[in-house]
Amino acid sequence: MTQGPAPGRFITLEGGEGAGKSTLAGHLKDRIEALGLRVTLTREPGGSPKAEAIRTMILSGQVKPHGPFVEALMFSAARIDHIDRLIRPALERGDWVICDRFIDSTRAYQGALGRIDEDLLAELEAVTIDGLMPDLTLMLDLDPTIGLARAARRRAPGEETDRFEGEALAFHSTLRQAYLAIAQAEPSRCAVLDAAQPPAVLAQAAWSVIRERLPAPQVA
């Protein structure tokens, strides 16, 4: 009997602004593809045409006046389309999926910072992901003053801050603690990495965690 492709792995990268998630995602994609495995690189909000349209609305600040719960609903709508159209099909064909932000961003931004009821947010999450949890989440921990400075340097001249980068330092400090609390509550899924390290050093640390947490014959 012909066997189907080996199931893919789902890795998410989480952390505050300027933590280096996109750069790390690129490094990991190269490492995994060098082993002959397929990688789908994606982000949230986004990853599908409808989700990208919602991303534009959220990051422009259009949704902010309606409050954190409406923001959470918008993120969830984007996530459902993203999962259905890109993430789940990629995993089913055996790809390794690396996603820049996923459920923990909603938990941190709209949950801890937006103060949405924890049970209500959990119910919304359950409906949204329909059982699709990351195999591994890498939490990139960084002093928010460093992260915001990095984010400022990468903006083009005259480019405005997005919906979240423009928040006060206290917001970003609370966000950092929210991510660390999630990692502490779910140590089997989450691993915290020092994002103040140079990109190559951070990438090697992340790769060591992947080899330890996601053992597979192809990963060496």
Side-chain angles (χ1 to χ4, degrees):
M1 183 174 64
T2 303
Q3 292 184 340
R9 296 288 194 169
F10 185 24
I11 301 171
T12 57
L13 309 181
E14 297 281 2
E17 308 302 324
K21 296 180 297 299
S22 298
T23 301
L24 177 59
H27 279 293
L28 295 179
K29 180 177 185 292
D30 291 343
R31 293 289 293 265
I32 296 170
E33 286 183 336
L35 299 173
L37 300 170
R38 293 188 305 271
V39 178
T40 294
L41 198 62
T42 188
R43 67 177 183 177
E44 287 213 343
S48 67
K50 288 182 181 178
E52 289 290 339
I54 294 173
R55 176 189 181 89
T56 300
M57 292 177 59
I58 293 172
L59 297 187
S60 69
Q62 295 179 52
V63 184
K64 182 180 179 180
H66 301 288
F69 185 65
V70 173
E71 260 188 347
L73 289 175
M74 295 296 287
F75 275 112
S76 297
R79 184 164 296 138
I80 289 170
D81 195 65
H82 188 199
I83 289 172
D84 288 348
R85 294 184 176 274
L86 189 145
I87 297 177
R88 205 182 294 276
L91 292 171
E92 288 174 352
R93 66 174 178 260
D95 288 16
W96 285 52
V97 176
I98 302 174
C99 189
D100 181 343
R101 297 194 184 282
F102 194 60
I103 55 172
D104 297 307
S105 285
T106 304
R107 293 177 179 183
Y109 282 84
Q110 284 73 48
L113 285 160
R115 299 182 180 179
I116 297 176
D117 179 78
E118 185 176 335
D119 292 337
L120 177 60
L121 197 62
E123 290 176 6
L124 179 61
E125 178 184 296
V127 171
T128 301
I129 65 174
D130 190 24
L132 182 67
M133 285 291 289
D135 296 298
L136 174 65
T137 297
L138 300 176
M139 296 283 193
L140 276 57
D141 181 48
L142 184 67
D143 183 328
T145 58
I146 299 174
L148 291 173
R150 287 180 178 177
R153 287 195 297 271
R154 75 188 178 198
R155 283 196 297 272
E159 182 183 357
E160 295 184 358
T161 58
D162 68 27
R163 154 73 180 90
F164 299 107
E165 289 177 0
E167 294 285 354
L169 180 61
F171 175 100
H172 295 282
S173 297
T174 302
L175 177 70
R176 180 188 191 186
Q177 296 307 314
Y179 276 126
L180 292 174
I182 292 169
Q184 184 175 20
E186 298 185 49
S188 62
R189 174 174 68 88
C190 303
V192 178
L193 299 174
D194 179 6
Q197 302 176 97
V201 178
L202 176 60
Q204 184 56 47
W207 188 244
S208 296
V209 173
I210 290 172
R211 289 195 304 174
E212 178 184 350
R213 300 284 190 96
L214 303 179
Q218 303 97 324
V219 179

